[in-house]
Amino acid sequence: MSRTPFIAGNWKMYKTQADAEMFISGLLPQVSSSEGVDVAICVPFTDLQAMVDSTRGSRVQVFAQNMHHAAEGAFTGEVSAPMLTELDVHGVVLGHSERRQFFGETDRELALKVPAALAAGLVPILCVGETESEREAGETERKLRHQVQEGLEQVPRERLAEVVVAYEPIWAIGTGKVATPDQAQEACAFVRALVAGIDADAAQAVRVQYGGSVKPDNAAELLALPDVDGALVGGAALDPGSFAKIVEAARA
Ligand code: 13P
């Protein structure tokens, strides 16, 4: 099965609206001919409307970086899926390790968020990955099994193929220490096998991204791996030139 490569840039808490407009005017001409690759920017809430407007008619999709599982409620400071879809946001990053580490996000919450995103019409990118000490202790598969199984637990089978899973080893995020091709392939194949444990057909369709210090000079090697269907890019997605080079690497 051929899966469309998916390159997503996670801006994290970077870029005011003015910065975002500058970025997008630099990016659009560089990715206008990137057929065969899905491209997304995952932006702070305050940039969503401006980026949806500025990317309309282009090949760049706009994603949020978090949402609450409920459609509405007394949850001060939170944003819901219907609030995102009203803006024409395409999808949402869920369970990023920074949200797990700094904001106490749990697999329990993700079990509610992933199906809520799908039900609202958003493409969820479910982030999973182990810490350095978990890898050293031989705990990588156990951690991934727990995160993937719980995150997908309440997803209706017929919608499973629409979920994107991003394998992001925490020790590779923002460190410049990228996973080796063998490590990335092994973990992404394991994630796919976990999906196959729920539904074999969905596993062939589901896209698994690698994330963690993806840069223009290592992207091609990672993206060529059989079970790596794209990348979730942090630092290198803040500059339109380097992000466009990673998109270009996915076309090869
Ligand atoms: P870096 O590409 O900066 O390592 O960040 C990866 C990441 O966390 C993307 O979500």
Side-chain angles (χ1 to χ4, degrees):
M1 140 112 35
S2 74
R3 296 177 290 267
T4 304
F6 181 23
I7 306 298
N10 175 13
W11 287 359
K12 310 190 179 186
M13 198 175 73
Y14 290 95
K15 295 195 190 297
T16 63
Q17 232 180 86
D19 298 334
E21 292 291 9
M22 197 127 81
F23 172 95
I24 204 66
S25 59
L27 180 72
L28 290 181
Q30 300 188 63
V31 297
S32 60
S33 59
S34 307
E35 284 90 25
V37 183
D38 288 344
V39 180
I41 49 174
C42 313
V43 309
F45 290 129
T46 49
D47 293 337
L48 285 170
Q49 182 72 74
M51 289 302 96
V52 166
D53 291 342
S54 296
T55 54
R56 222 179 277 285
S58 82
R59 52 179 315 96
V60 177
Q61 301 167 354
V62 177
F63 278 52
Q65 299 175 6
N66 181 34
M67 58 162 238
H68 195 275
H69 65 82
E72 59 181 12
F75 301 112
T76 301
E78 293 290 309
V79 167
S80 75
M83 293 170 183
L84 298 175
T85 52
E86 186 188 41
L87 301 185
D88 278 345
V89 167
H90 196 89
V92 59
V93 176
L94 294 174
H96 191 279
S97 62
E98 287 148 17
R99 293 219 55 85
R100 296 174 187 262
Q101 181 183 351
F102 302 124
F103 304 100
E105 180 134 270
T106 62
D107 289 319
R108 269 292 93 206
E109 284 170 62
L110 291 160
L112 300 173
K113 289 186 180 197
V114 177
L118 286 167
L122 294 166
V123 173
I125 301 178
L126 172 65
C127 301
V128 299
E130 81 287 0
T131 64
E132 186 150 44
S133 59
E134 285 165 339
R135 175 162 283 270
E136 281 165 2
E139 296 278 297
T140 300
E141 293 199 346
R142 199 180 63 83
K143 176 82 174 286
L144 294 178
R145 181 179 298 111
H146 193 78
Q147 291 182 322
V148 171
Q149 286 179 345
E150 194 149 350
L152 299 181
E153 191 176 79
Q154 293 177 46
V155 173
R157 232 182 213 235
E158 69 277 8
R159 310 247 6 221
L160 203 52
E162 296 167 56
V163 178
V164 177
V165 183
Y167 167 65
E168 298 205 300
I170 293 164
W171 47 271
I173 294 178
T175 58
K177 196 169 155 187
V178 66
T180 66
D182 282 352
Q183 288 170 328
Q185 166 57 26
E186 185 181 34
C188 290
F190 183 68
V191 166
R192 194 179 308 287
L194 291 169
V195 179
I198 309 170
D199 186 292
D201 289 340
Q204 286 311 304
V206 115
R207 290 182 294 179
V208 182
Q209 296 174 320
Y210 167 80
S213 298
V214 176
K215 306 289 176 204
D217 61 0
N218 61 26
E221 190 177 28
L222 291 161
L223 293 167
L225 298 166
D227 284 291
V228 175
D229 306 314
L232 186 55
V233 185
L238 293 174
D239 172 73
S242 65
F243 187 56
K245 285 197 185 95
I246 295 170
V247 172
E248 193 53 35
R251 294 182 71 199

